[in-house]
Amino acid sequence: MAEPGDQDKLSDDWDLDGTVVPVDAAVEQTEEEKAAEATAEWAAMLEGDTGDGEGAPDRVLNQDEIDSLLGFDASIGSNVELTGVQALINSALVSYERLPMLEIVFDRLVRLATTSLRNFTSDNVEVTLDSISSVRFGDYLNSIPLPAILSVIRAEEWENYGLLTVDSSLIYSMIDVLLGGRRIGGNIRIEGRPYTTIELALARRMIEVILEDTHRAFEPVTQVNFKLERMETNPRFAAISRPGNAAILIELRIEMDDRGGKIEILLPYATIEPIREQLLQMFMGEKFGRDATWEGHLATEIYSAEVSIEAVLHEQDVPLSRMMAMQAGDTLMFERTPTDPVRLRCGGVELTEAVMGHIGNLVSVRVTRPLNPPKVTMEAFEAIDEETEGR
């Protein structure tokens, strides 16, 4: 054991002034010192990185830049192309604007349906086009508010199907109008019961009127007849396409004074594929791949072009050795008579035959038969175009 003098000497060496420091306190002081040293090192690193050196950190983004990166910008309209993460989320959707003729067709349908439904109901009916959008078939089936009537329609010429959905408010409003009900404003109360036979029959008549108008609306573009295959009230029984397939959704709103509802027409892209080229037109009557004005100008210039015609009296094969040995005065005998026909050529293409003669001091030929039919016609070019588009 150390003597008291030795203890005083040890205290003086450690400069403890006689104060005994517990072991636990010494350990805590050491950890605090380590934490302080680490904090000082981080502060020094940050101070050193704030300069213009290569290790400078990136600039902090503000809220507007973050919104632009993510694609969530409330200031842009709904028809503006999305960017960022929002564009990735909605990348599966297809814009209907690639088929501009659809809007013209359904604008025509609005006008036709307004007149037809006025005659059908003998009431003041207004039909408006709410929207044209692209959806996934499965998403649309899950979004249909029930109860509703889903009509499976068949496009006979396209050999494919579509959906026509009538919501319950329009069905009850139409039944109320057709059966002489009172003009009650506001929404009609819908009972939780299935549709009766009379209600389904009246709804079928209204759907057939809409389908006839749709046929007439498509007439300027193509001839297609829409046939009502069946009517369903459960969306699971109206599956006409795969859930992931894209489709065009057209929403029509029908108003009869203070009552009415919506009709939705769903056409999968596979259904309208046969008339995709027609729907790409910007206006009625547009011709793809051809310009009538340019065709007329080209035809006029071709007719007025000057060409060189060769009159070939006779052709024969002669050995090269004989040609090399020919001298002045040698004669080549052509096995031809004055009445034998002469072949007329243009650019190496044989056109027709003629008989040689003369007019005054000029040698002439008289055409004896019509021109040879061309081996390549415009139909051949059209067939090539069709094969290219089919690929």
PDB file of all heavy atoms in Angstrom, residues 264-301:
ATOM      1  N   GLU A 264     -72.184   6.153 -71.470  1.00  0.00           N
ATOM      2  CA  GLU A 264     -70.758   5.976 -71.737  1.00  0.00           C
ATOM      3  C   GLU A 264     -70.579   4.906 -72.805  1.00  0.00           C
ATOM      4  O   GLU A 264     -71.141   3.814 -72.706  1.00  0.00           O
ATOM      5  CB  GLU A 264     -70.014   5.576 -70.465  1.00  0.00           C
ATOM      6  CG  GLU A 264     -70.062   6.647 -69.387  1.00  0.00           C
ATOM      7  CD  GLU A 264     -69.383   6.206 -68.109  1.00  0.00           C
ATOM      8  OE1 GLU A 264     -69.179   4.982 -67.930  1.00  0.00           O
ATOM      9  OE2 GLU A 264     -69.074   7.080 -67.277  1.00  0.00           O
ATOM     10  N   ILE A 265     -69.818   5.241 -73.826  1.00  0.00           N
ATOM     11  CA  ILE A 265     -69.508   4.318 -74.916  1.00  0.00           C
ATOM     12  C   ILE A 265     -68.036   3.970 -74.821  1.00  0.00           C
ATOM     13  O   ILE A 265     -67.179   4.861 -74.841  1.00  0.00           O
ATOM     14  CB  ILE A 265     -69.833   4.932 -76.290  1.00  0.00           C
ATOM     15  CG1 ILE A 265     -71.316   5.302 -76.364  1.00  0.00           C
ATOM     16  CG2 ILE A 265     -69.475   3.967 -77.413  1.00  0.00           C
ATOM     17  CD1 ILE A 265     -71.698   6.020 -77.653  1.00  0.00           C
ATOM     18  N   LEU A 266     -67.740   2.690 -74.696  1.00  0.00           N
ATOM     19  CA  LEU A 266     -66.364   2.212 -74.577  1.00  0.00           C
ATOM     20  C   LEU A 266     -66.017   1.393 -75.813  1.00  0.00           C
ATOM     21  O   LEU A 266     -66.675   0.394 -76.108  1.00  0.00           O
ATOM     22  CB  LEU A 266     -66.197   1.367 -73.317  1.00  0.00           C
ATOM     23  CG  LEU A 266     -64.768   0.904 -73.048  1.00  0.00           C
ATOM     24  CD1 LEU A 266     -63.979   2.009 -72.366  1.00  0.00           C
ATOM     25  CD2 LEU A 266     -64.741  -0.353 -72.191  1.00  0.00           C
ATOM     26  N   LEU A 267     -64.978   1.812 -76.534  1.00  0.00           N
ATOM     27  CA  LEU A 267     -64.513   1.103 -77.728  1.00  0.00           C
ATOM     28  C   LEU A 267     -63.054   0.727 -77.520  1.00  0.00           C
ATOM     29  O   LEU A 267     -62.191   1.616 -77.482  1.00  0.00           O
ATOM     30  CB  LEU A 267     -64.654   1.984 -78.978  1.00  0.00           C
ATOM     31  CG  LEU A 267     -66.067   2.385 -79.372  1.00  0.00           C
ATOM     32  CD1 LEU A 267     -66.038   3.336 -80.562  1.00  0.00           C
ATOM     33  CD2 LEU A 267     -66.920   1.164 -79.694  1.00  0.00           C
ATOM     34  N   PRO A 268     -62.734  -0.552 -77.353  1.00  0.00           N
ATOM     35  CA  PRO A 268     -61.317  -0.948 -77.246  1.00  0.00           C
ATOM     36  C   PRO A 268     -60.553  -0.572 -78.510  1.00  0.00           C
ATOM     37  O   PRO A 268     -61.110  -0.495 -79.599  1.00  0.00           O
ATOM     38  CB  PRO A 268     -61.392  -2.472 -77.054  1.00  0.00           C
ATOM     39  CG  PRO A 268     -62.771  -2.731 -76.521  1.00  0.00           C
ATOM     40  CD  PRO A 268     -63.652  -1.692 -77.144  1.00  0.00           C
ATOM     41  N   TYR A 269     -59.273  -0.325 -78.336  1.00  0.00           N
ATOM     42  CA  TYR A 269     -58.448   0.031 -79.489  1.00  0.00           C
ATOM     43  C   TYR A 269     -58.429  -1.087 -80.529  1.00  0.00           C
ATOM     44  O   TYR A 269     -58.290  -0.828 -81.729  1.00  0.00           O
ATOM     45  CB  TYR A 269     -57.027   0.357 -79.042  1.00  0.00           C
ATOM     46  CG  TYR A 269     -56.848   1.792 -78.621  1.00  0.00           C
ATOM     47  CD1 TYR A 269     -57.084   2.186 -77.311  1.00  0.00           C
ATOM     48  CD2 TYR A 269     -56.460   2.759 -79.530  1.00  0.00           C
ATOM     49  CE1 TYR A 269     -56.929   3.496 -76.913  1.00  0.00           C
ATOM     50  CE2 TYR A 269     -56.297   4.073 -79.146  1.00  0.00           C
ATOM     51  CZ  TYR A 269     -56.534   4.437 -77.839  1.00  0.00           C
ATOM     52  OH  TYR A 269     -56.392   5.745 -77.456  1.00  0.00           O
ATOM     53  N   ALA A 270     -58.553  -2.326 -80.091  1.00  0.00           N
ATOM     54  CA  ALA A 270     -58.604  -3.432 -81.043  1.00  0.00           C
ATOM     55  C   ALA A 270     -59.860  -3.363 -81.906  1.00  0.00           C
ATOM     56  O   ALA A 270     -59.858  -3.817 -83.051  1.00  0.00           O
ATOM     57  CB  ALA A 270     -58.552  -4.768 -80.298  1.00  0.00           C
ATOM     58  N   THR A 271     -60.941  -2.786 -81.372  1.00  0.00           N
ATOM     59  CA  THR A 271     -62.182  -2.687 -82.142  1.00  0.00           C
ATOM     60  C   THR A 271     -62.055  -1.662 -83.261  1.00  0.00           C
ATOM     61  O   THR A 271     -62.519  -1.902 -84.390  1.00  0.00           O
ATOM     62  CB  THR A 271     -63.340  -2.295 -81.201  1.00  0.00           C
ATOM     63  OG1 THR A 271     -63.465  -3.298 -80.187  1.00  0.00           O
ATOM     64  CG2 THR A 271     -64.646  -2.187 -81.970  1.00  0.00           C
ATOM     65  N   ILE A 272     -61.428  -0.528 -82.998  1.00  0.00           N
ATOM     66  CA  ILE A 272     -61.322   0.531 -84.011  1.00  0.00           C
ATOM     67  C   ILE A 272     -60.051   0.411 -84.840  1.00  0.00           C
ATOM     68  O   ILE A 272     -59.776   1.291 -85.668  1.00  0.00           O
ATOM     69  CB  ILE A 272     -61.375   1.916 -83.344  1.00  0.00           C
ATOM     70  CG1 ILE A 272     -60.236   2.073 -82.340  1.00  0.00           C
ATOM     71  CG2 ILE A 272     -62.717   2.117 -82.659  1.00  0.00           C
ATOM     72  CD1 ILE A 272     -60.188   3.440 -81.684  1.00  0.00           C
ATOM     73  N   GLU A 273     -59.276  -0.649 -84.655  1.00  0.00           N
ATOM     74  CA  GLU A 273     -58.056  -0.816 -85.437  1.00  0.00           C
ATOM     75  C   GLU A 273     -58.318  -0.869 -86.945  1.00  0.00           C
ATOM     76  O   GLU A 273     -57.527  -0.324 -87.721  1.00  0.00           O
ATOM     77  CB  GLU A 273     -57.321  -2.082 -84.976  1.00  0.00           C
ATOM     78  CG  GLU A 273     -56.041  -2.383 -85.726  1.00  0.00           C
ATOM     79  CD  GLU A 273     -54.980  -1.313 -85.531  1.00  0.00           C
ATOM     80  OE1 GLU A 273     -55.035  -0.606 -84.500  1.00  0.00           O
ATOM     81  OE2 GLU A 273     -54.111  -1.186 -86.408  1.00  0.00           O
ATOM     82  N   PRO A 274     -59.403  -1.509 -87.436  1.00  0.00           N
ATOM     83  CA  PRO A 274     -59.622  -1.529 -88.897  1.00  0.00           C
ATOM     84  C   PRO A 274     -59.763  -0.152 -89.524  1.00  0.00           C
ATOM     85  O   PRO A 274     -59.527  -0.010 -90.732  1.00  0.00           O
ATOM     86  CB  PRO A 274     -60.917  -2.356 -89.049  1.00  0.00           C
ATOM     87  CG  PRO A 274     -60.967  -3.216 -87.825  1.00  0.00           C
ATOM     88  CD  PRO A 274     -60.372  -2.378 -86.736  1.00  0.00           C
ATOM     89  N   ILE A 275     -60.153   0.860 -88.775  1.00  0.00           N
ATOM     90  CA  ILE A 275     -60.320   2.200 -89.350  1.00  0.00           C
ATOM     91  C   ILE A 275     -59.317   3.176 -88.737  1.00  0.00           C
ATOM     92  O   ILE A 275     -59.573   4.380 -88.670  1.00  0.00           O
ATOM     93  CB  ILE A 275     -61.758   2.720 -89.158  1.00  0.00           C
ATOM     94  CG1 ILE A 275     -62.101   2.814 -87.673  1.00  0.00           C
ATOM     95  CG2 ILE A 275     -62.750   1.864 -89.890  1.00  0.00           C
ATOM     96  CD1 ILE A 275     -63.358   3.607 -87.398  1.00  0.00           C
ATOM     97  N   ARG A 276     -58.194   2.663 -88.294  1.00  0.00           N
ATOM     98  CA  ARG A 276     -57.205   3.534 -87.659  1.00  0.00           C
ATOM     99  C   ARG A 276     -56.723   4.625 -88.615  1.00  0.00           C
ATOM    100  O   ARG A 276     -56.564   5.787 -88.227  1.00  0.00           O
ATOM    101  CB  ARG A 276     -56.012   2.718 -87.180  1.00  0.00           C
ATOM    102  CG  ARG A 276     -54.971   3.519 -86.416  1.00  0.00           C
ATOM    103  CD  ARG A 276     -53.841   2.626 -85.980  1.00  0.00           C
ATOM    104  NE  ARG A 276     -53.142   2.079 -87.116  1.00  0.00           N
ATOM    105  CZ  ARG A 276     -52.135   2.695 -87.745  1.00  0.00           C
ATOM    106  NH1 ARG A 276     -51.733   3.872 -87.323  1.00  0.00           N
ATOM    107  NH2 ARG A 276     -51.545   2.143 -88.777  1.00  0.00           N
ATOM    108  N   GLU A 277     -56.503   4.278 -89.873  1.00  0.00           N
ATOM    109  CA  GLU A 277     -56.027   5.269 -90.835  1.00  0.00           C
ATOM    110  C   GLU A 277     -57.069   6.364 -91.056  1.00  0.00           C
ATOM    111  O   GLU A 277     -56.725   7.547 -91.159  1.00  0.00           O
ATOM    112  CB  GLU A 277     -55.684   4.591 -92.163  1.00  0.00           C
ATOM    113  CG  GLU A 277     -54.457   3.698 -92.095  1.00  0.00           C
ATOM    114  CD  GLU A 277     -54.063   3.194 -93.458  1.00  0.00           C
ATOM    115  OE1 GLU A 277     -54.757   3.552 -94.438  1.00  0.00           O
ATOM    116  OE2 GLU A 277     -53.072   2.457 -93.558  1.00  0.00           O
ATOM    117  N   GLN A 278     -58.342   5.977 -91.131  1.00  0.00           N
ATOM    118  CA  GLN A 278     -59.385   6.990 -91.309  1.00  0.00           C
ATOM    119  C   GLN A 278     -59.489   7.907 -90.089  1.00  0.00           C
ATOM    120  O   GLN A 278     -59.741   9.102 -90.230  1.00  0.00           O
ATOM    121  CB  GLN A 278     -60.742   6.331 -91.577  1.00  0.00           C
ATOM    122  CG  GLN A 278     -60.859   5.680 -92.950  1.00  0.00           C
ATOM    123  CD  GLN A 278     -60.302   4.271 -92.972  1.00  0.00           C
ATOM    124  OE1 GLN A 278     -59.583   3.875 -92.067  1.00  0.00           O
ATOM    125  NE2 GLN A 278     -60.636   3.520 -94.003  1.00  0.00           N
ATOM    126  N   LEU A 279     -59.288   7.342 -88.897  1.00  0.00           N
ATOM    127  CA  LEU A 279     -59.395   8.158 -87.692  1.00  0.00           C
ATOM    128  C   LEU A 279     -58.188   9.060 -87.495  1.00  0.00           C
ATOM    129  O   LEU A 279     -58.230   9.984 -86.687  1.00  0.00           O
ATOM    130  CB  LEU A 279     -59.560   7.254 -86.464  1.00  0.00           C
ATOM    131  CG  LEU A 279     -60.842   6.430 -86.421  1.00  0.00           C
ATOM    132  CD1 LEU A 279     -60.871   5.563 -85.172  1.00  0.00           C
ATOM    133  CD2 LEU A 279     -62.066   7.315 -86.465  1.00  0.00           C
ATOM    134  N   LEU A 280     -57.094   8.818 -88.209  1.00  0.00           N
ATOM    135  CA  LEU A 280     -55.928   9.684 -88.140  1.00  0.00           C
ATOM    136  C   LEU A 280     -56.096  10.942 -88.977  1.00  0.00           C
ATOM    137  O   LEU A 280     -55.254  11.842 -88.919  1.00  0.00           O
ATOM    138  CB  LEU A 280     -54.680   8.934 -88.604  1.00  0.00           C
ATOM    139  CG  LEU A 280     -54.135   7.870 -87.640  1.00  0.00           C
ATOM    140  CD1 LEU A 280     -53.037   7.074 -88.309  1.00  0.00           C
ATOM    141  CD2 LEU A 280     -53.624   8.521 -86.374  1.00  0.00           C
ATOM    142  N   GLN A 281     -57.166  11.026 -89.768  1.00  0.00           N
ATOM    143  CA  GLN A 281     -57.394  12.191 -90.600  1.00  0.00           C
ATOM    144  C   GLN A 281     -57.688  13.411 -89.720  1.00  0.00           C
ATOM    145  O   GLN A 281     -58.256  13.305 -88.644  1.00  0.00           O
ATOM    146  CB  GLN A 281     -58.573  11.959 -91.544  1.00  0.00           C
ATOM    147  CG  GLN A 281     -58.371  10.789 -92.498  1.00  0.00           C
ATOM    148  CD  GLN A 281     -59.589  10.580 -93.360  1.00  0.00           C
ATOM    149  OE1 GLN A 281     -59.746  11.214 -94.387  1.00  0.00           O
ATOM    150  NE2 GLN A 281     -60.458   9.684 -92.937  1.00  0.00           N
ATOM    151  N   MET A 282     -57.319  14.564 -90.242  1.00  0.00           N
ATOM    152  CA  MET A 282     -57.597  15.808 -89.545  1.00  0.00           C
ATOM    153  C   MET A 282     -58.929  16.417 -89.959  1.00  0.00           C
ATOM    154  O   MET A 282     -59.472  17.268 -89.269  1.00  0.00           O
ATOM    155  CB  MET A 282     -56.481  16.821 -89.805  1.00  0.00           C
ATOM    156  CG  MET A 282     -55.134  16.389 -89.266  1.00  0.00           C
ATOM    157  SD  MET A 282     -55.125  16.111 -87.488  1.00  0.00           S
ATOM    158  CE  MET A 282     -55.474  17.753 -86.902  1.00  0.00           C
ATOM    159  N   PHE A 283     -59.467  16.014 -91.116  1.00  0.00           N
ATOM    160  CA  PHE A 283     -60.749  16.528 -91.574  1.00  0.00           C
ATOM    161  C   PHE A 283     -61.361  15.500 -92.501  1.00  0.00           C
ATOM    162  O   PHE A 283     -60.696  14.593 -93.007  1.00  0.00           O
ATOM    163  CB  PHE A 283     -60.604  17.880 -92.291  1.00  0.00           C
ATOM    164  CG  PHE A 283     -59.620  17.849 -93.429  1.00  0.00           C
ATOM    165  CD1 PHE A 283     -60.012  17.526 -94.712  1.00  0.00           C
ATOM    166  CD2 PHE A 283     -58.285  18.144 -93.206  1.00  0.00           C
ATOM    167  CE1 PHE A 283     -59.112  17.492 -95.749  1.00  0.00           C
ATOM    168  CE2 PHE A 283     -57.379  18.115 -94.246  1.00  0.00           C
ATOM    169  CZ  PHE A 283     -57.796  17.790 -95.520  1.00  0.00           C
ATOM    170  N   MET A 284     -62.660  15.620 -92.728  1.00  0.00           N
ATOM    171  CA  MET A 284     -63.388  14.685 -93.579  1.00  0.00           C
ATOM    172  C   MET A 284     -62.862  14.745 -95.003  1.00  0.00           C
ATOM    173  O   MET A 284     -62.640  15.817 -95.560  1.00  0.00           O
ATOM    174  CB  MET A 284     -64.888  15.022 -93.581  1.00  0.00           C
ATOM    175  CG  MET A 284     -65.555  14.819 -92.240  1.00  0.00           C
ATOM    176  SD  MET A 284     -65.734  13.083 -91.821  1.00  0.00           S
ATOM    177  CE  MET A 284     -66.708  13.215 -90.322  1.00  0.00           C
ATOM    178  N   GLY A 285     -62.689  13.575 -95.615  1.00  0.00           N
ATOM    179  CA  GLY A 285     -62.298  13.516 -97.015  1.00  0.00           C
ATOM    180  C   GLY A 285     -60.811  13.591 -97.254  1.00  0.00           C
ATOM    181  O   GLY A 285     -60.374  13.593 -98.400  1.00  0.00           O
ATOM    182  N   GLU A 286     -60.012  13.632 -96.208  1.00  0.00           N
ATOM    183  CA  GLU A 286     -58.568  13.702 -96.398  1.00  0.00           C
ATOM    184  C   GLU A 286     -58.060  12.390 -96.983  1.00  0.00           C
ATOM    185  O   GLU A 286     -58.486  11.302 -96.595  1.00  0.00           O
ATOM    186  CB  GLU A 286     -57.888  13.971 -95.057  1.00  0.00           C
ATOM    187  CG  GLU A 286     -56.381  14.096 -95.161  1.00  0.00           C
ATOM    188  CD  GLU A 286     -55.754  14.352 -93.810  1.00  0.00           C
ATOM    189  OE1 GLU A 286     -56.518  14.458 -92.833  1.00  0.00           O
ATOM    190  OE2 GLU A 286     -54.530  14.454 -93.732  1.00  0.00           O
ATOM    191  N   LYS A 287     -57.141  12.478 -97.934  1.00  0.00           N
ATOM    192  CA  LYS A 287     -56.571  11.297 -98.585  1.00  0.00           C
ATOM    193  C   LYS A 287     -55.160  11.091 -98.066  1.00  0.00           C
ATOM    194  O   LYS A 287     -54.347  12.011 -98.055  1.00  0.00           O
ATOM    195  CB  LYS A 287     -56.540  11.462-100.106  1.00  0.00           C
ATOM    196  CG  LYS A 287     -57.928  11.517-100.740  1.00  0.00           C
ATOM    197  CD  LYS A 287     -57.814  11.579-102.248  1.00  0.00           C
ATOM    198  CE  LYS A 287     -59.188  11.594-102.903  1.00  0.00           C
ATOM    199  NZ  LYS A 287     -59.110  11.660-104.374  1.00  0.00           N
ATOM    200  N   PHE A 288     -54.867   9.853 -97.663  1.00  0.00           N
ATOM    201  CA  PHE A 288     -53.562   9.547 -97.110  1.00  0.00           C
ATOM    202  C   PHE A 288     -52.619   9.125 -98.218  1.00  0.00           C
ATOM    203  O   PHE A 288     -52.956   8.326 -99.086  1.00  0.00           O
ATOM    204  CB  PHE A 288     -53.664   8.412 -96.081  1.00  0.00           C
ATOM    205  CG  PHE A 288     -54.247   8.872 -94.795  1.00  0.00           C
ATOM    206  CD1 PHE A 288     -55.610   8.791 -94.568  1.00  0.00           C
ATOM    207  CD2 PHE A 288     -53.447   9.410 -93.827  1.00  0.00           C
ATOM    208  CE1 PHE A 288     -56.145   9.223 -93.392  1.00  0.00           C
ATOM    209  CE2 PHE A 288     -53.976   9.847 -92.634  1.00  0.00           C
ATOM    210  CZ  PHE A 288     -55.316   9.752 -92.414  1.00  0.00           C
ATOM    211  N   GLY A 289     -51.409   9.676 -98.208  1.00  0.00           N
ATOM    212  CA  GLY A 289     -50.399   9.269 -99.160  1.00  0.00           C
ATOM    213  C   GLY A 289     -50.579   9.869-100.539  1.00  0.00           C
ATOM    214  O   GLY A 289     -49.742   9.672-101.406  1.00  0.00           O
ATOM    215  N   ARG A 290     -51.647  10.604-100.791  1.00  0.00           N
ATOM    216  CA  ARG A 290     -51.907  11.168-102.103  1.00  0.00           C
ATOM    217  C   ARG A 290     -52.400  12.601-101.958  1.00  0.00           C
ATOM    218  O   ARG A 290     -53.095  12.940-101.022  1.00  0.00           O
ATOM    219  CB  ARG A 290     -52.955  10.356-102.873  1.00  0.00           C
ATOM    220  CG  ARG A 290     -52.476   8.960-103.276  1.00  0.00           C
ATOM    221  CD  ARG A 290     -53.513   8.280-104.143  1.00  0.00           C
ATOM    222  NE  ARG A 290     -53.093   6.956-104.539  1.00  0.00           N
ATOM    223  CZ  ARG A 290     -53.821   6.152-105.311  1.00  0.00           C
ATOM    224  NH1 ARG A 290     -54.985   6.547-105.756  1.00  0.00           N
ATOM    225  NH2 ARG A 290     -53.374   4.954-105.632  1.00  0.00           N
ATOM    226  N   ASP A 291     -52.006  13.399-102.914  1.00  0.00           N
ATOM    227  CA  ASP A 291     -52.467  14.776-102.993  1.00  0.00           C
ATOM    228  C   ASP A 291     -53.070  14.954-104.377  1.00  0.00           C
ATOM    229  O   ASP A 291     -52.360  14.870-105.391  1.00  0.00           O
ATOM    230  CB  ASP A 291     -51.303  15.737-102.761  1.00  0.00           C
ATOM    231  CG  ASP A 291     -51.759  17.177-102.659  1.00  0.00           C
ATOM    232  OD1 ASP A 291     -52.907  17.457-103.049  1.00  0.00           O
ATOM    233  OD2 ASP A 291     -50.966  18.008-102.200  1.00  0.00           O
ATOM    234  N   ALA A 292     -54.383  15.188-104.447  1.00  0.00           N
ATOM    235  CA  ALA A 292     -55.052  15.280-105.745  1.00  0.00           C
ATOM    236  C   ALA A 292     -54.480  16.417-106.588  1.00  0.00           C
ATOM    237  O   ALA A 292     -54.301  16.272-107.807  1.00  0.00           O
ATOM    238  CB  ALA A 292     -56.563  15.471-105.524  1.00  0.00           C
ATOM    239  N   THR A 293     -54.164  17.550-105.960  1.00  0.00           N
ATOM    240  CA  THR A 293     -53.605  18.674-106.720  1.00  0.00           C
ATOM    241  C   THR A 293     -52.254  18.317-107.312  1.00  0.00           C
ATOM    242  O   THR A 293     -51.962  18.594-108.481  1.00  0.00           O
ATOM    243  CB  THR A 293     -53.475  19.901-105.800  1.00  0.00           C
ATOM    244  OG1 THR A 293     -54.748  20.191-105.218  1.00  0.00           O
ATOM    245  CG2 THR A 293     -52.973  21.103-106.569  1.00  0.00           C
ATOM    246  N   TRP A 294     -51.416  17.665-106.492  1.00  0.00           N
ATOM    247  CA  TRP A 294     -50.095  17.278-106.973  1.00  0.00           C
ATOM    248  C   TRP A 294     -50.208  16.204-108.057  1.00  0.00           C
ATOM    249  O   TRP A 294     -49.443  16.223-109.039  1.00  0.00           O
ATOM    250  CB  TRP A 294     -49.238  16.789-105.814  1.00  0.00           C
ATOM    251  CG  TRP A 294     -47.922  16.205-106.246  1.00  0.00           C
ATOM    252  CD1 TRP A 294     -47.541  14.909-106.195  1.00  0.00           C
ATOM    253  CD2 TRP A 294     -46.822  16.920-106.826  1.00  0.00           C
ATOM    254  NE1 TRP A 294     -46.284  14.750-106.688  1.00  0.00           N
ATOM    255  CE2 TRP A 294     -45.808  15.976-107.093  1.00  0.00           C
ATOM    256  CE3 TRP A 294     -46.604  18.252-107.160  1.00  0.00           C
ATOM    257  CZ2 TRP A 294     -44.589  16.320-107.651  1.00  0.00           C
ATOM    258  CZ3 TRP A 294     -45.386  18.602-107.715  1.00  0.00           C
ATOM    259  CH2 TRP A 294     -44.397  17.661-107.957  1.00  0.00           C
ATOM    260  N   GLU A 295     -51.129  15.272-107.899  1.00  0.00           N
ATOM    261  CA  GLU A 295     -51.311  14.245-108.924  1.00  0.00           C
ATOM    262  C   GLU A 295     -51.722  14.868-110.262  1.00  0.00           C
ATOM    263  O   GLU A 295     -51.215  14.478-111.317  1.00  0.00           O
ATOM    264  CB  GLU A 295     -52.364  13.231-108.461  1.00  0.00           C
ATOM    265  CG  GLU A 295     -51.862  12.278-107.388  1.00  0.00           C
ATOM    266  CD  GLU A 295     -52.918  11.259-107.013  1.00  0.00           C
ATOM    267  OE1 GLU A 295     -54.053  11.364-107.536  1.00  0.00           O
ATOM    268  OE2 GLU A 295     -52.618  10.359-106.227  1.00  0.00           O
ATOM    269  N   GLY A 296     -52.651  15.829-110.214  1.00  0.00           N
ATOM    270  CA  GLY A 296     -53.064  16.482-111.453  1.00  0.00           C
ATOM    271  C   GLY A 296     -51.936  17.258-112.105  1.00  0.00           C
ATOM    272  O   GLY A 296     -51.752  17.208-113.345  1.00  0.00           O
ATOM    273  N   HIS A 297     -51.134  17.951-111.304  1.00  0.00           N
ATOM    274  CA  HIS A 297     -50.003  18.700-111.855  1.00  0.00           C
ATOM    275  C   HIS A 297     -48.967  17.754-112.455  1.00  0.00           C
ATOM    276  O   HIS A 297     -48.417  18.008-113.548  1.00  0.00           O
ATOM    277  CB  HIS A 297     -49.375  19.543-110.752  1.00  0.00           C
ATOM    278  CG  HIS A 297     -48.125  20.258-111.165  1.00  0.00           C
ATOM    279  ND1 HIS A 297     -48.126  21.312-112.065  1.00  0.00           N
ATOM    280  CD2 HIS A 297     -46.825  20.065-110.817  1.00  0.00           C
ATOM    281  CE1 HIS A 297     -46.889  21.735-112.245  1.00  0.00           C
ATOM    282  NE2 HIS A 297     -46.084  20.995-111.494  1.00  0.00           N
ATOM    283  N   LEU A 298     -48.698  16.644-111.746  1.00  0.00           N
ATOM    284  CA  LEU A 298     -47.716  15.682-112.255  1.00  0.00           C
ATOM    285  C   LEU A 298     -48.185  15.060-113.560  1.00  0.00           C
ATOM    286  O   LEU A 298     -47.391  14.893-114.508  1.00  0.00           O
ATOM    287  CB  LEU A 298     -47.463  14.600-111.190  1.00  0.00           C
ATOM    288  CG  LEU A 298     -46.427  13.524-111.536  1.00  0.00           C
ATOM    289  CD1 LEU A 298     -45.067  14.155-111.772  1.00  0.00           C
ATOM    290  CD2 LEU A 298     -46.352  12.485-110.425  1.00  0.00           C
ATOM    291  N   ALA A 299     -49.476  14.719-113.630  1.00  0.00           N
ATOM    292  CA  ALA A 299     -49.994  14.132-114.864  1.00  0.00           C
ATOM    293  C   ALA A 299     -49.892  15.123-116.026  1.00  0.00           C
ATOM    294  O   ALA A 299     -49.535  14.742-117.157  1.00  0.00           O
ATOM    295  CB  ALA A 299     -51.443  13.697-114.660  1.00  0.00           C
ATOM    296  N   THR A 300     -50.174  16.392-115.790  1.00  0.00           N
ATOM    297  CA  THR A 300     -50.071  17.396-116.855  1.00  0.00           C
ATOM    298  C   THR A 300     -48.644  17.536-117.354  1.00  0.00           C
ATOM    299  O   THR A 300     -48.391  17.615-118.570  1.00  0.00           O
ATOM    300  CB  THR A 300     -50.580  18.754-116.332  1.00  0.00           C
ATOM    301  OG1 THR A 300     -51.925  18.607-115.877  1.00  0.00           O
ATOM    302  CG2 THR A 300     -50.528  19.808-117.421  1.00  0.00           C
ATOM    303  N   GLU A 301     -47.689  17.551-116.433  1.00  0.00           N
ATOM    304  CA  GLU A 301     -46.295  17.683-116.829  1.00  0.00           C
ATOM    305  C   GLU A 301     -45.807  16.445-117.579  1.00  0.00           C
ATOM    306  O   GLU A 301     -45.003  16.553-118.512  1.00  0.00           O
ATOM    307  CB  GLU A 301     -45.423  17.938-115.593  1.00  0.00           C
ATOM    308  CG  GLU A 301     -45.679  19.280-114.920  1.00  0.00           C
ATOM    309  CD  GLU A 301     -45.367  20.435-115.842  1.00  0.00           C
ATOM    310  OE1 GLU A 301     -44.391  20.336-116.623  1.00  0.00           O
ATOM    311  OE2 GLU A 301     -46.091  21.441-115.800  1.00  0.00           O
TER     312      GLU A 301
END
